[in-house]
Amino acid sequence: MPSLLHHPLDPASRLIRLMCAEYGVPLDMEEIKPWLRTPELLEVNPAATLPILIDDNDQSVIGLLANIHTIEALYAPSAVAGLMPDDAIVRAEMWRLIEWVISKLNDEVTRYVLEEKIVKRDHRGATPDPAVLRVAKANLNEHMLYFNWLFANRSWLTGDDMTLADFALAAHLSTLDYLGDIDWGKAGETRDWYSRIKSRPAFRTLLNDRVLAMPPHQGYADLDF
Amino acid sequence: MPSLLHHPLDPASRLIRLMCAEYGVPLDMEEIKPWLRTPELLEVNPAATLPILIDDNDQSVIGLLANIHTIEALYAPSAVAGLMPDDAIVRAEMWRLIEWVISKLNDEVTRYVLEEKIVKRDHRGATPDPAVLRVAKANLNEHMLYFNWLFANRSWLTGDDMTLADFALAAHLSTLDYLGDIDWGKAGETRDWYSRIKSRPAFRTLLNDRVLAMPPHQGYADLDF
């Protein structure tokens, strides 16, 4: 069975866990804290990023893009629809939105929230900087308006069908939801979409996540949130 | 002929231009300044990022990942070796290094240099902040040590053959070289690799780039630099 080095609140790890669960790939999970930059982690991945998949031949697949492509190549079902649309233009739209989530949403929201709420507390014993969290929250509001607008016109993030872009967004929003940073009362169309994706069997593993001494925000694991 | 909205010093645009030149895809080039966030740009791409490819049916392919995958799907040669390795493990290594370049190198070096030297000057008439440029330079030195180490053991970034990861790194280093931010005297193995990739026909279009009132650093276009 392949092993996945991950952190429960790392959105890139969550995206790969969702993808593997959807494709029925069993994973041996190993939790690590990448910000500690241990010599063991740096030897495998000098960038100290997650996720890292280690296959049965002890070969490592490192980082989000490498894992997306490797899992798609090795495990995507041939008989039923996978997470990558066949049509070139729809696939381009999927990659546009994946890039939106993993670059723009991450840079403007998720990485700040994780740094302030998780890394700082664990690594340096410091407390979150409220000014940084305020900026992240204001940025998140702008992103939610955009997602609401998209979901007012589409069933799924890319269009008519669920794709990997939905998992990318769900990975980030579920991390933020764990930490209590999403105001679902204002989330409108995005809330309806999240309710649908949260009910999928692939999502169950994420809903059981618990970080030591930091329980999830109320409603995190409820399908009726 | 497809159009490419690009900026000459945007590394993501450069990567797609290299890919198209290598695959023999002619492009109608249209230069824009994404940081101006014009209504015309925001209407096509609310993220205001480049590159944007507009095909003959007026459909847009937006952002780096969407363009990489669309161009690979539509234009990769079937008879000769393309830029994506066949072997799954080599391909995973290619994506690891693409992610290194477009996320880590970009976040730690290229985006700061471009913001300080290009955007600030053009957009706000301000001058570069020397403290920011010093940090970017120190970060670049660390990256160069890592690339030197890789190239001491490999002919190309991913291994024995040139891949898209080489174009990703060349796109960033050529932008930094245009701006005079690379000390080739200290670049060792990376210099030898850059000399090889710079001689490829696909690279010619980049070497002719000129930004108004900002000529390239000496040696930028010389194959014997």
Side-chain angles (χ1 to χ4, degrees):
Chain A
M1 194 187 301
S3 302
L4 189 76
L5 307 191
H6 80 116
H7 184 273
L9 295 183
D10 170 50
S13 302
R14 286 188 161 227
L15 171 49
I16 294 305
R17 291 165 65 200
L18 285 170
M19 199 179 177
C20 285
E22 183 75 15
Y23 285 168
V25 184
L27 291 175
D28 197 359
M29 306 288 286
E30 187 178 335
E31 184 176 331
I32 62 168
K33 296 174 174 178
W35 56 86
L36 298 181
R37 304 177 67 86
T38 60
E40 295 77 16
L41 172 60
L42 292 175
E43 196 181 321
V44 180
N45 179 12
T49 51
L50 295 175
I52 300 172
L53 187 85
I54 299 174
D55 74 11
D56 295 330
N57 301 319
D58 245 2
Q59 286 183 301
S60 313
V61 179
I62 294 166
L64 180 60
L65 294 179
N67 273 292
I68 287 175
H69 288 92
T70 303
I71 290 161
E72 182 67 22
L74 297 183
Y75 303 113
S78 51
V80 297
L83 293 162
M84 305 264 185
D86 287 331
D87 180 80
I89 288 296
V90 182
R91 211 163 50 236
E93 177 68 352
M94 175 193 78
W95 282 113
R96 173 180 84 82
L97 288 157
I98 290 176
E99 189 166 298
W100 184 297
V101 170
I102 68 176
S103 293
K104 189 172 168 64
L105 179 64
N106 191 58
D107 282 1
E108 294 171 359
V109 181
T110 327
R111 74 156 64 177
Y112 288 120
V113 173
L114 287 174
E115 173 72 23
E116 294 303 320
K117 292 199 172 178
I118 303 291
V119 180
K120 263 194 176 176
R121 189 186 66 138
D122 187 71
H123 194 25
R124 302 175 217 147
T127 50
D129 181 340
V132 173
L133 290 177
R134 263 197 306 276
V135 171
K137 191 185 176 115
N139 291 343
L140 177 59
N141 286 342
E142 294 298 315
H143 281 272
M144 292 301 270
L145 289 175
Y146 183 58
F147 299 135
N148 284 345
W149 178 79
L150 285 177
F151 288 126
N153 295 289
R154 305 171 171 192
S155 309
W156 299 96
L157 194 53
T158 306
D160 293 336
D161 298 305
M162 194 186 74
T163 70
L164 192 63
D166 292 286
F167 279 4
L169 180 58
H172 279 258
L173 293 192
S174 65
T175 286
L176 294 167
D177 189 35
Y178 187 103
L179 296 168
D181 283 281
I182 299 198
D183 181 353
W184 290 115
K186 287 202 233 157
E189 292 83 354
T190 306
R191 182 196 174 115
D192 295 340
W193 162 86
Y194 191 65
S195 172
R196 270 184 289 136
I197 204 164
K198 201 174 175 180
S199 320
R200 291 186 76 82
F203 223 88
R204 263 180 228 145
T205 166
L206 302 192
L207 299 181
N208 292 327
D209 276 351
R210 293 297 177 271
V211 177
L212 196 67
M214 180 166 265
H217 185 255
Q218 189 186 1
Y220 169 74
D222 297 345
L223 294 184
D224 185 20
F225 56 101
Chain B
M1 190 187 304
S3 300
L4 190 76
L5 308 191
H6 80 116
H7 184 273
L9 294 184
D10 170 50
S13 301
R14 287 189 161 225
L15 171 48
I16 294 305
R17 291 165 65 199
L18 284 170
M19 200 178 176
C20 285
E22 184 74 16
Y23 285 168
V25 184
L27 293 174
D28 197 358
M29 307 288 287
E30 186 178 336
E31 185 176 330
I32 63 168
K33 296 175 174 177
W35 57 86
L36 297 181
R37 304 176 66 86
T38 59
E40 294 78 16
L41 172 61
L42 292 175
E43 195 181 323
V44 181
N45 178 13
T49 51
L50 296 177
I52 299 172
L53 188 84
I54 299 173
D55 73 11
D56 294 332
N57 302 321
D58 245 1
Q59 287 184 299
S60 311
V61 179
I62 293 165
L64 181 58
L65 294 179
N67 273 290
I68 287 175
H69 289 93
T70 304
I71 290 161
E72 183 67 21
L74 296 183
Y75 302 113
S78 52
V80 297
L83 291 163
M84 305 266 186
D86 288 331
D87 180 79
I89 289 296
V90 182
R91 211 163 50 237
E93 177 69 351
M94 176 194 77
W95 283 112
R96 174 180 83 84
L97 289 157
I98 290 175
E99 188 164 298
W100 184 296
V101 170
I102 68 176
S103 294
K104 189 172 168 65
L105 180 64
N106 191 58
D107 282 1
E108 294 171 359
V109 181
T110 326
R111 73 158 63 175
Y112 288 121
V113 173
L114 287 174
E115 173 72 23
E116 294 301 320
K117 292 197 171 179
I118 303 292
V119 181
K120 264 194 175 175
R121 190 187 65 141
D122 187 71
H123 194 25
R124 301 174 218 147
T127 50
D129 180 340
V132 174
L133 291 177
R134 265 198 305 275
V135 171
K137 190 185 176 115
N139 290 343
L140 177 59
N141 286 342
E142 294 297 316
H143 281 272
M144 292 302 270
L145 288 174
Y146 183 58
F147 298 135
N148 285 345
W149 178 80
L150 285 176
F151 288 126
N153 296 289
R154 307 170 168 192
S155 308
W156 299 95
L157 194 53
T158 306
D160 292 337
D161 298 306
M162 193 185 76
T163 71
L164 192 63
D166 292 286
F167 280 4
L169 181 57
H172 279 257
L173 293 192
S174 65
T175 287
L176 294 168
D177 188 36
Y178 187 102
L179 296 168
D181 281 282
I182 299 197
D183 181 353
W184 290 113
K186 288 202 232 156
E189 292 83 354
T190 305
R191 183 196 173 117
D192 296 340
W193 162 85
Y194 191 65
S195 172
R196 269 183 291 136
I197 206 165
K198 201 175 175 179
S199 319
R200 292 187 75 84
F203 223 88
R204 262 179 230 143
T205 163
L206 303 192
L207 300 182
N208 291 327
D209 277 350
R210 293 297 178 271
V211 177
L212 196 67
M214 180 167 266
H217 185 255
Q218 188 186 4
Y220 170 74
D222 295 347
L223 294 184
D224 184 20
F225 57 102

